[in-house]
Amino acid sequence: MHISTHRRQGKLAIAAVAATAGAALFATAIPANADTGNTRAGDAGNAAAVVEKATGTGDIAPSAAAPGTPAKAVTATEGGDVTITAPDKANGTLNGAADNGSFGLSLPDAKGVAGVKAGAGTVVYRDAAAATDIAVQPTTDGGARTLVTLKDGKAPESHRFRLDLPQGTDISADGRGGFALHRESADGVHVPVGTIDAPWAKDANGDAVPTSYKLDGKDLVQTIETNDKTAFPVVADPKLTWGIVTGTAYFNKSETRKIADNGALSGVVSGFLPPGLNIYWGAHAAVITTTAMKAKNAKKCIKVKFAAGIFVPGQYSGGYCK
């Protein structure tokens, strides 16, 4: 998911779900003189290998253990530093923090098993639920993946992720199977602060497996539809990002009128754009102003999609257009 914010950029990719065959995560007998800690590390390594085969390792961010967490990653992004903190235990909260705020993601039904960092930097929480492992990967774009590994067909197909978002954050369907996260700025502009990408899932053969989201209060519920023909492991990677400077800002009727009457350089939007993007806004001021005038005359509102310094204005009605 790619997101924009009025302050900083920082991405938290939130939920990935993997189903892994029991053969891939087998438990070996422990000889009488074996080191239990080494065995746990080996099991975590096997679990991490399964996950990393599905996700790759090229974008796993460097991390270090810190008090209360097996992995903490601080990533410098274009909009500022983003800190990702993996929970110490599976029933804890994955936290992401940037200048525009912070959010958390937790699995309320998970057991309190400790996380072990293994592989290329994946934190594994083995047997966190029935026939289920959990894993967390901080990523180099300032985000994190939280993966659920279904060890066999006995693992539950529905997984509930509790979202802890800043007060005033709106969640709305994006029409593509995911969700857009917005907050209203002091200027009355509904600014994108995050997105939840549409989920995807694939089996061990690379074939697509049906998966979908639904919102249940503050919980994001993902369902993965496996059957007796599914080749495990199945990997599903829903993704939540926070603070990325991209997305669509929605202006209400009052702000649309201000832009139409006073121009896009009137300062009405100075509060929601990071300083580095103000220059790009100015470069597109003429077309934004013209679009606002057309929207005002049509009794509609202006919306502005922005990414990589490119602003594309358009008109909309309903929703925030009040």
Side-chain angles (χ1 to χ4, degrees):
M1 87 188 48
H2 300 83
I3 168 180
S4 60
T5 176
H6 62 289
R7 289 292 178 192
R8 286 198 162 178
Q9 176 183 41
K11 174 179 179 179
L12 196 75
I14 284 258
V17 179
T20 62
L25 292 174
F26 60 91
T28 56
I30 303 175
N33 59 349
D35 184 290
T36 303
N38 289 337
T39 301
R40 283 199 299 268
D43 290 342
N46 291 336
V50 171
V51 172
E52 290 173 0
K53 180 180 178 181
T55 64
T57 60
D59 66 344
I60 298 178
S63 64
T69 176
K72 183 175 183 178
V74 180
T75 303
T77 71
E78 184 178 334
D81 289 349
V82 181
T83 301
I84 301 298
T85 305
D88 184 39
K89 297 182 178 180
N91 59 353
T93 299
L94 171 67
N95 288 306
D99 269 9
N100 68 311
S102 62
F103 72 92
L105 179 80
S106 61
L107 282 80
D109 297 329
K111 301 176 184 177
V113 298
V116 177
K117 183 178 171 182
T122 299
V123 179
V124 177
Y125 308 83
R126 296 196 69 247
D127 299 316
T132 302
D133 290 347
I134 296 172
V136 168
Q137 295 175 338
T139 54
T140 55
D141 54 8
R145 286 185 287 262
T146 298
L147 302 105
V148 178
T149 300
L150 312 183
K151 294 184 179 183
D152 55 40
K154 297 179 181 179
E157 293 185 341
S158 290
H159 300 273
R160 183 175 295 268
F161 301 90
R162 183 145 299 158
L163 301 173
D164 182 11
L165 302 174
Q167 186 175 2
T169 302
D170 294 328
I171 304 178
S172 59
D174 65 6
R176 299 183 298 275
F179 297 92
L181 309 178
H182 286 83
R183 283 193 355 216
E184 186 175 4
S185 73
D187 294 324
V189 182
H190 288 268
V191 182
V193 293
T195 59
I196 300 172
D197 285 357
W200 60 262
K202 61 183 179 180
D203 66 11
N205 299 323
D207 296 327
V209 177
T211 183
S212 60
Y213 285 145
K214 72 173 183 178
L215 277 177
D216 182 13
K218 294 183 178 180
D219 293 350
L220 177 70
V221 181
Q222 183 183 14
T223 300
I224 306 159
E225 300 177 29
T226 61
N227 56 42
D228 57 359
K229 296 182 179 179
T230 300
F232 290 91
V234 171
V235 178
D237 187 19
K239 195 175 188 180
L240 185 155
T241 57
W242 186 261
I244 298 302
V245 184
T246 180
T248 302
Y250 294 88
F251 295 79
N252 60 27
K253 288 186 176 180
S254 174
E255 298 306 322
T256 298
R257 184 168 57 253
K258 289 179 183 179
I259 296 174
D261 293 344
N262 303 315
L265 294 178
S266 61
V268 66
V269 296
S270 61
F272 83 89
L273 285 173
L277 288 184
N278 287 329
I279 186 172
Y280 296 109
W281 177 271
H284 296 82
V287 66
I288 292 170
T289 301
T290 300
T291 303
M293 294 172 65
K294 292 179 179 179
K296 173 188 172 184
N297 292 335
K299 300 187 184 303
K300 295 183 178 181
C301 297
I302 187 174
K303 62 180 180 179
V304 181
K305 181 178 181 179
F306 52 101
I310 298 175
F311 291 78
V312 181
Q315 302 177 44
Y316 80 102
S317 59
Y320 302 121
C321 187
K322 302 174 183 178

